[in-house]
Amino acid sequence: MPRRTATMLASTLILIALLCAGVLIPVPYAEMSPGPTVNTLGDARGEPVLQITGHKTYPTSGHLNMTTVRVTGADYDMNIVEAVYGWLAHDSVIVPHDTLYPDGKTEEQSTQENAEEFSQSQESAKVAALKELKIPVTSRVVVSTVLKDSAAQGELHAGDVIKAVDGTAVGKPEDVAKLVTEHKPGQDVVFTIVPAKAAAAAEKAGKEPQGSEDVTLTTRKAPAEDRAIVGIQAGTDHTFPFEIDIKLADVGGPSAGLMFSLGIIDKLTPGKLTGGAFVAGTGTIDDAGAVGPIGGINMKLVGARDAGARYFLTPDDNCAAAASDTPSGLTLVRVKTIDDAKKSLDRIRAGDTAGLPSCSAG
């Protein structure tokens, strides 16, 4: 066989071997890419995303789109070829697998955690929207979680309303931990509660929970810490003056909070918040209306632009990353609070876009 032919044959075989290795050998990476966007003012799967009953609503127009990021599953084994392709592509990001699934977290665990965060974000979105509109919302401290084999197991239950600890009234979840840790491990602490069933019945009847009872628990030492615990996580439960349902499946995480809040405000107020403009955005929201940062901002920008958005409401803490790689045709609007977002939408509606707060890459 001529030397040149032999060399070409050997090179071809080596290339084939490398390609096979690239396809067969897994690498510890995962991919993030733009996910679907959903108009919170519109429908999803044939029904309105936001459904409000028991209060007057108004017609809306335009878009207030929440944005998502699509990620590869925890059990998906990416190969070298896919990783290289993802690194070269502009509309995807390759990240270490542990970034998305830390500490060996399974896809099922991640899905459950995202579902819980999504549920909490919906609750906070409702609270923030109604507070912005000066509509009263009743809040109370409740038992969110009872740890297995803890002092509280069998004594306290998820949904119990915590009225006081050792006779001191509690107004927010952190009050509970503070009062418990005033004890030493092994000491008794008294919880004054309204049992979950009684609280649920009162809420259904539109009344404040009554009929409290005292539960005495013996504190234990926290693992690896010299402080007293009883084994619960306290949270906040809200009673709304009318019903607000958010109907959206197959979405997780807390990042849609801001856009849900704005959609609720638009439906509950006369006039059209966007003036018919296509606005997308992202950001967590807390009960006080503060907007927090999210992950995957650049993928969300691409998804919004591809869906037709002209403006993107961007959490202040994500502004630098967003401004460093903004898709053409998309205007970033910096927001720190739900009130900031409303004022910016007022400007967009009025056509005064030169005064919009912008993001910078610096």
Side-chain angles (χ1 to χ4, degrees), residues 69-139:
V69 175
R70 185 179 285 112
V71 299
T72 51
D75 299 327
Y76 181 76
D77 291 326
M78 178 175 288
N79 60 52
I80 295 174
V81 173
E82 291 172 317
V84 172
Y85 180 82
W87 276 316
L88 296 175
H90 182 69
D91 59 351
S92 66
V93 174
I94 302 300
V95 297
H97 188 275
D98 290 347
T99 301
L100 299 179
Y101 304 101
D103 303 322
K105 186 184 297 180
T106 66
E107 188 169 352
E108 182 179 4
Q109 290 171 325
S110 180
T111 299
Q112 176 63 30
E113 183 178 296
N114 284 336
E116 292 172 358
E117 290 178 339
F118 185 62
S119 177
Q120 181 56 52
S121 77
Q122 293 180 53
E123 196 79 356
S124 293
K126 298 173 190 178
V127 175
L130 296 191
K131 284 186 175 180
E132 183 70 18
L133 296 176
K134 304 297 189 292
I135 297 175
V137 177
T138 302
S139 302

